[in-house]
Amino acid sequence: MDLLDSILNAMDAPPANNEQQKTLIKKQREMMERMQNKQKEELLRFRKYVDERMGRFAKDDRKCIEFQPLDKVHRSVIHEIAENGGFIAMSFGREDVDRHSVVYKKEHAPGEDEVTARRNGDGWNVEIAKEYAERRRERLAQEQSDKQASTSEAGSSSATGDQDGGEVKPTTNYKAKYAHLIGESAALQAARKTETNQSYGFVPSKNKKDMRSIEQTLADIQAKKRLRLQQQQELEQEQEQVQEEASTSTEDP
């Protein structure tokens, strides 16, 4: 027991918070609160600016409006106000580089060419619209040409089979060739006509197709983004509360 007492007496006592440390902690907390209040005020001003701009946009004949590159929080404000106003909001560009939001009226929703061009970073104007329209026509013409070529090849193969008596016979018997690997019974089983399985699990494959419209899909995406942002904000608030409680417990003697 004497040895234990000597060890305990030799240990240093925990440092006590002096007045200077308490003052420093208090100043840090006040500075953090001022920064948070400043961010909230800035977001309120930005929300008011977006609201006013959306109001002017709803009354004029423009098809879309484009915002400057912004961070994720400010873009979420734009998407929220656009959805509440009955518009379509989409973001394009690289994160932390040039990602920006574009708001469309529902009657002037962007087409496939415009979405592709903006995702490629080409922007959108009359010249770019003509360029992408020409590319699409060339692609469709090439696909049509390939389809006709495959159809003609199938027709020529069918004509050859008719000339030979209506049936095309293979030159080798694969079942006999690979009988030493798969066996005769397995070969007969593998030679059966295969049929497409129209049902996977308990849900038919036709019911697994996404039947939502573009507007509904965009609305679902925005709802998920808002939920994720709300969860992140709640987590940050919890962390701030924990820090405040820790600093308060440190100040107490």
Side-chain angles (χ1 to χ4, degrees), residues 197-210:
N197 185 6
Q198 298 294 335
S199 178
Y200 299 93
F202 296 98
V203 182
S205 57
K206 62 181 180 179
N207 293 345
K208 296 183 178 180
K209 296 181 179 179
D210 194 349

Side-chain angles (χ1 to χ4, degrees), residues 239-251:
Q239 292 177 350
E240 291 174 1
Q241 291 177 357
V242 171
Q243 292 178 357
E244 290 179 358
E245 292 176 357
S247 60
T248 304
S249 62
T250 305
E251 291 178 0

